[in-house]
Amino acid sequence: MTITDTPALSEGGANKLYFAAWRWHFYAGLYVIPI
């Protein structure tokens, strides 16, 4: 059985980091908006 989720590990790592950055940016925005 093959894993189809990891064709390019470098691209997947960069994509994961990109979405992590956007997630933290979103949470920071929610934290700062009421102030």
Side-chain angles (χ1 to χ4, degrees):
M1 189 167 178
T2 60
I3 298 173
T4 58
D5 192 25
T6 57
L9 289 174
S10 61
E11 184 178 335
N15 204 14
K16 198 181 278 191
L17 183 64
Y18 176 78
F19 281 114
W22 269 109
R23 186 171 58 239
W24 280 107
H25 183 261
F26 175 73
Y27 288 139
L30 289 179
Y31 180 74
V32 171
I33 282 173
I35 297 174

